Amino acid sequence: MEKNLIIELIEQSVSGFASASDHKRLMEAIAENPEFQEMYDDYSMIWNLSKPRKDNVPSFNPELAADKFKASLIQSPRAKEVSLLPRLMKMAAVFAVSAVAGFLLTQYFGTEDESFVSVTSLQDEQNKVSLKDGSNIILAKGGTLLTYSEKFDDLNRNVDLDGKAYFDIASSEEMPFVVTTDLAQITVLGTKFTVNTLEDGIIEVIVEEGSVSLKPIKSSKSIILKAGEIGVFNNLTKQLYQRETNINQMAWATQKLSFKNKLFDDVIRDLQNYYEVEIAITDERILICPYTSLFINEDIDQILETISNVLKFEVRAESDKSYTLVGGNCN
């Protein structure tokens, strides 16, 4: 396992912010390399010596933390128990403990200091990230976490992801862009795609443009995904497969709904999923009508009105989230 990833897993674990799968990966790495256990113990000591009391939260001072750590080697204090903080405090702890990550990198690997940037989305709000190479990332709401080095540049285009995100990657033939998750690595040169890490041990990758390589972490197998395809890896069954997919699954990030000779039944389903509305019909014959159009950042009322001009139905708004389509035909 890469040294920077070990540091990141340790800092998340000691601050109480590591997921169950991340903690398991760390324990497996420690079991394979006893040196990592010493790193973990030392990092825990740094964290415990520098963490604030709940009733008095001072600003974090990495130099003071390092001094306390050196003193602790002489005094050999008994490690305190790390209390579990509320989610927001855990997130703040990750940012604070990142400040001393460089100390361990130098201590154990003899490398120069390296700091990491962690960005997360709120439960009910997306977050947009612009990187130095011109790439743009949209983090889906619900607590998606993106981590990357402060030295991210044309020679280092690696990020870690926990959650769901849309990537619009700047093209670079010299340096691929790599997204690492708990289960797999996604490698691209320049393209648009979505990565979704699910809690049941499944990762999904949907490609909008270009091509993407999807490779499970502990496997030599990989697949190449092209535009309009989805790649899925199931960690429980170890299955890796690809197939054509509905590109409108990325509408949450792109604000685009594309229909090309699509049955109106499928059009209704996509509209209901994206706008979170209920759409009823009075004549089932319109469900088999083909429909073609592209909508970009339009509201549901405008879209239904546009479609009604083609399929000849009447739109009846029952409420802000409920519509009935009366009549209609394919002619």
Side-chain angles (χ1 to χ4, degrees):
M1 188 176 293
E2 293 183 2
K3 56 188 178 183
N4 288 345
L5 181 56
I6 284 292
I7 293 294
E8 182 181 342
L9 290 176
I10 289 177
E11 65 183 51
Q12 290 181 355
S13 181
V14 300
S15 64
F17 190 46
S19 64
S21 59
D22 281 344
H23 185 71
K24 181 180 178 182
R25 290 174 64 195
L26 177 60
M27 293 302 102
E28 290 175 350
I30 288 177
E32 295 176 358
N33 189 340
E35 182 182 7
F36 293 156
Q37 180 66 60
E38 182 182 353
M39 292 172 55
Y40 182 88
D41 293 340
D42 289 346
Y43 216 118
S44 296
M45 188 175 297
I46 293 175
W47 171 250
N48 285 314
L49 289 171
S50 60
K51 74 175 185 178
R53 292 172 50 189
K54 292 182 179 179
D55 57 347
N56 183 19
V57 184
S59 58
F60 180 77
N61 188 326
E63 294 182 359
L64 179 60
D67 290 340
K68 289 182 178 180
F69 170 70
K70 293 176 183 177
S72 71
L73 296 179
I74 300 175
Q75 300 173 5
S76 299
R78 194 170 186 175
K80 299 179 183 178
E81 215 172 316
V82 179
S83 60
L84 292 178
L85 303 173
R87 180 173 177 79
L88 290 178
M89 288 299 293
K90 289 179 184 177
M91 291 167 56
V94 171
F95 289 118
V97 80
S98 293
V100 294
F103 174 80
L104 284 183
L105 283 172
T106 303
Q107 180 77 10
Y108 292 97
F109 299 113
T111 63
E112 58 181 326
D113 292 356
E114 182 170 8
S115 298
F116 293 87
V117 178
S118 293
V119 183
T120 189
S121 62
L122 299 178
Q123 193 63 32
D124 57 354
E125 186 177 339
Q126 298 177 2
N127 200 352
K128 296 183 179 181
V129 181
S130 296
L131 299 176
K132 294 179 181 179
D133 67 339
S135 297
N136 293 292
I137 304 171
I138 301 177
L139 308 183
K141 59 185 179 182
T144 292
L145 177 65
L146 181 76
T147 305
Y148 57 93
S149 171
E150 283 190 344
K151 297 180 180 179
F152 183 98
D153 54 27
D154 292 338
L155 300 178
N156 172 20
R157 302 210 302 167
N158 302 328
V159 302
D160 287 349
L161 177 71
D162 183 8
K164 181 179 181 180
Y166 173 81
F167 295 83
D168 184 354
I169 302 305
S171 179
S172 173
E173 295 183 0
E174 294 78 17
M175 180 57 59
F177 190 103
V178 180
V179 181
T180 300
T181 73
D182 286 348
L183 301 178
Q185 280 192 334
I186 299 91
T187 304
V188 302
L189 295 178
T191 185
K192 297 180 181 180
F193 61 99
T194 294
V195 178
N196 191 9
T197 62
L198 306 176
E199 293 183 356
D200 50 359
I202 295 176
I203 181 171
E204 296 178 343
V205 179
I206 303 176
V207 181
E208 180 184 10
E209 294 181 6
S211 61
V212 168
S213 169
L214 171 60
K215 179 183 179 299
I217 293 292
K218 298 181 179 180
S219 174
S220 59
K221 296 182 179 179
S222 64
I223 55 176
I224 302 297
L225 305 172
K226 298 179 180 179
E229 292 185 333
I230 182 173
V232 179
F233 174 64
N234 187 322
N235 192 46
L236 299 178
T237 63
K238 305 305 179 184
Q239 289 182 313
L240 176 66
Y241 61 90
Q242 66 193 102
R243 57 178 171 79
E244 291 187 359
T245 189
N246 180 4
I247 206 70
N248 289 334
Q249 292 184 52
M250 290 194 284
W252 65 270
T254 64
Q255 282 79 54
K256 294 192 299 185
L257 289 168
S258 177
F259 306 111
K260 185 176 182 180
N261 274 336
K262 203 164 189 178
L263 295 181
F264 190 54
D265 187 25
D266 295 328
V267 174
I268 289 177
R269 185 178 299 110
D270 285 352
L271 293 176
Q272 289 183 135
N273 290 337
Y274 178 59
Y275 290 101
E276 298 181 348
V277 298
E278 293 293 331
I279 300 176
I281 60 171
T282 62
D283 190 338
E284 293 186 355
R285 289 178 295 180
I286 66 171
L287 295 178
I288 62 172
C289 295
Y291 183 75
T292 298
S293 190
L294 172 65
F295 299 103
I296 302 177
N297 198 25
E298 295 188 38
D299 63 43
I300 184 62
D301 295 289
Q302 292 175 319
I303 290 177
L304 290 178
E305 187 65 30
T306 298
I307 300 176
S308 71
N309 294 329
V310 178
L311 299 185
K312 309 303 180 184
F313 55 74
E314 176 190 347
V315 180
R316 182 186 300 161
E318 309 294 351
S319 68
D320 290 342
K321 292 291 184 179
S322 179
Y323 299 84
T324 299
L325 310 184
V326 181
N329 60 72
C330 300
N331 298 325

